[in-house]
Amino acid sequence: MQTEDMEVPIINNLNDNGDRQRPKGKDVFKDQQKESESSMESPNLEFEYGDTDTLTAELSELYSYTEEPEFALNRDYFEEDFRSHARGRRWIELTVEEQRAYVMRLLDALEVTDRDKRLKVARAILYLAQGVFDECDTEVDVLHWSRHNIFLLYDMGIFTALLELLSMEIDNSQACSSAVRKPAISLADSTELRVLLSIMYLMVETIRVQTEDDRPEWIAARETFKNELASPLYNGEPFALLLFTMVTKFCSMNAPHFPMKKVLLLLWKTILFTLGGFEELQEMKVRHRERLNLPPLPEDSIKVVRAMRAASPPASAMELIEQQQQQKRGRRSRRPLVKQDSLDTYNERDPFKNDDARDEEEDPEDTDSGIEGEVDPLDRDVIIQPPPPPPPLRPPTERVNFPKGLPWAPKVREKDIEHFLETSRNKFIGFTLGNDTETLVGLPRPIHESVKTLKQVSVGITPVIIPLFLCSFLHQIALLKLLLAAAPTSKAKTDSINILADVLPEEMPITVLQSMKLGIDVNRHKEIIVKAISALLLLLLKHFKLNHIYQFEIVSQHLVFANCIPLILKFFNQNIMSYISAKNSICVLDFPHCVVHEMPELTAESLEAGDSSQFCWRNLFSCINLLRILNKLTKWKHSRTMMLVVFKSAPILKRALKVKQAMMQLYVLKLLKIQTKYLGRQWRKSNMKTMSAIYQKVRHRLNDDWAYGNDIDARPWDFQAEECALRESIEKFNSRRYERNRNGDFAPVDNCLQSVLGQRVELPEDFHYSYEMWLEREVFSQPIQWEGLLQNP
């Protein structure tokens, strides 16, 4: 029985976030009406973006609900061995020296040849890393003892021993060939790998997170562990590269039993630990700007966005049609967005908005046109209707508590300054100077002042810092394959990779309750995979860009050629509100709650209840990460911006604005801004609220003609040439920097006198006959100022 066949009834019954076909006819009308009503009622989401969720949430996502019986199994193996060693005492009653002695005993037992005995010892170690929960009364106690035990395990060298066992399991060809031949892979096929990866994840995540009450020796251990993970100490390569190899091997169908969720979580946290998160990236930028004598950064982007207020979503076509029908029946138009203007972020007047109904937006999804076209008759009615009476003026006191001005400091590129000066020179002088941005001779005084202003604005640079290992093309393809398989809009195919190997039980569910539980587990499993991949890709792109621009460009181009842009758009082409508010969790089964409290009897009602929060943190986190990745891939790349237009991303992105969360809305508006110039006048006229939102929320780039498309870069030339030119520059750089047979023009010059004189030079055969004549002509008869050579130029 195939694995895909087993998951079909569960997924079809429960996972309807994106798997359903779009309804036809009247169902479309009803579906749009529901979306319209939900958008009007959607609340502001109190979400704080960061590197990760809380430690408890991150630990609980390591385990699937089908792994729940293994908690007791770990405890039993530990107590069976510990009872003979401690003689009736509990682990928390031992002194640190006694605990170290017992860990040393477990470390020795890991080296036995018997596979089953090794697994029992590994489970006992996992129970220690999980916080000896059977001896704890509260979740806080479990986390406390887990932290204590993990630092003890690291100090005793457990991580290195586990790494050797992990390498053995990765190279276990018998297990791989057995898994390839199996018709259906389940949880039992990855037992050893899951135990080892779970211990290593707990160690990496717990040691990575710093707390206020950390002991000095723990702080030192954290730095040591961080350096070890980043160094090529494990078979000549960093630990993260070993995990990348596991991902690639799994996606090539050579190891279908690898537990990918645990591998991806461990890989993400290892990269986060060794390279640093968003705060560390910001600190690196500040340090390198100081080193290069550049002005400080105007702001921290994440901090600015946290202070933003979410906007109400733009009106949908359904709302506009309903409004028009009410007008025709002689009733006053109902305006659902009058409570809060979608653009009134700072209680300031919308600069684009007239007090008429022309600002009501048409959803281009229903017209199926993102480019210029005729105005729809219904739309024409909206445009020519008389203006409503002006709203009453707000009292001045309402404006006092809100900041004035735009949230971002404007920026300008060096290219913009060059273009401005070239245009000015052509106009006033009649010739150009190439890339010169300093010479202002002959230009009038206002041009001098304009250039001075432009140079005072922040100019982007890319410093070179510590070297990073480059993520190969195969690794990126593998990550995108996993992302595609985990996306809720993907269909199960017989030739697709099976990412459910480490969540499906050996025996499939036979009752409705078991099926519901497994369905929730499968959906949760996919969400966690999307979360890990999106965070990992974003983190790598940001570090590559800070390290060297060409590292970032080559990785970005690989992702683009692997269809990352349409993949992300496909992900968002779903009911995004349903995805963000999904309740694919069973709180009573989450770790460490499930190992401390008595397990209540599960019912269909308790499974459907989920948690009480307005949104799912991991899903909103994943959406923001994917939007940020899409922004990084398309920023200042006109060929890739055209891909957004070709794939009709505007209606997809506009629907994402229904999520009332400031950070997510910002990155959606950024993506809409870069393609606005290509969408045509009719789209801009029909989406004035979105245009105004872009003006108020997105950073201004001086001389950026984003709203009208008059600049030369906006014209649809052969954009393939842009990618080819970038590729050529990257290959030249790689050849110059990394290839052994370097181009002679860029080979380093040997300036060592001893080295140069010691080289063997091939002379022509007749040279010794004319040597004296050559010496007289070339040396003795030439006036050489030897003293001048000793003076500084």
Side-chain angles (χ1 to χ4, degrees), residues 128-310:
L128 285 175
Q130 289 171 340
V132 289
F133 48 79
D134 204 47
E135 302 179 19
C136 300
D137 298 325
T138 65
E139 297 178 28
V140 175
D141 292 340
V142 173
L143 295 177
H144 167 78
W145 281 105
S146 172
R147 190 171 189 80
H148 169 86
N149 294 342
I150 282 172
F151 275 100
L152 178 63
L153 292 172
Y154 171 71
D155 189 44
M156 298 300 294
I158 288 289
F159 192 88
T160 305
L162 294 174
L163 186 60
E164 294 177 0
L165 294 177
L166 180 64
S167 301
M168 288 172 54
E169 290 296 330
I170 294 172
D171 298 333
N172 189 343
S173 57
Q174 182 179 355
C176 292
S177 59
S178 174
V180 169
R181 291 194 303 269
K182 276 193 174 183
I185 302 174
S186 68
L187 204 65
D189 296 294
S190 59
T191 302
E192 290 84 359
L193 282 168
R194 284 188 295 104
V195 171
L196 296 175
L197 291 168
S198 294
I199 303 171
M200 299 171 94
Y201 177 85
L202 290 173
M203 294 183 72
V204 170
E205 178 64 0
T206 304
I207 295 176
R208 181 189 71 84
V209 177
Q210 189 168 355
T211 60
E212 295 178 356
D213 57 347
D214 274 356
R215 306 169 193 167
E217 60 269 23
W218 288 3
I219 297 174
R222 176 178 297 107
E223 288 302 314
T224 304
F225 191 32
K226 177 180 177 180
N227 293 332
E228 285 179 3
L229 289 175
S231 303
L233 300 179
Y234 308 110
N235 297 326
E237 59 188 24
F239 178 57
L241 204 54
L242 176 67
L243 298 175
F244 264 124
T245 305
M246 291 186 71
V247 175
T248 308
K249 195 172 182 180
F250 173 83
C251 289
S252 62
M253 307 288 191
N254 293 323
H257 66 297
F258 282 1
M260 267 303 103
K261 186 189 81 172
K262 285 181 167 53
V263 173
L264 290 169
L265 285 174
L266 180 55
L267 175 58
W268 167 35
K269 295 304 174 61
T270 301
I271 296 290
L272 181 61
F273 187 21
T274 54
L275 300 185
F278 300 134
E279 291 185 3
E280 288 86 352
L281 276 163
Q282 189 71 12
E283 292 171 1
M284 290 179 196
K285 290 179 184 178
V286 170
R287 287 199 303 268
H288 294 297
R289 292 185 76 90
E290 290 176 353
R291 191 188 68 186
L292 297 171
N293 296 321
L294 290 169
L297 289 168
E299 72 271 309
D300 183 340
S301 299
I302 293 181
K303 291 181 179 178
V304 173
V305 177
R306 282 175 182 166
M308 280 187 176
R309 188 164 63 103

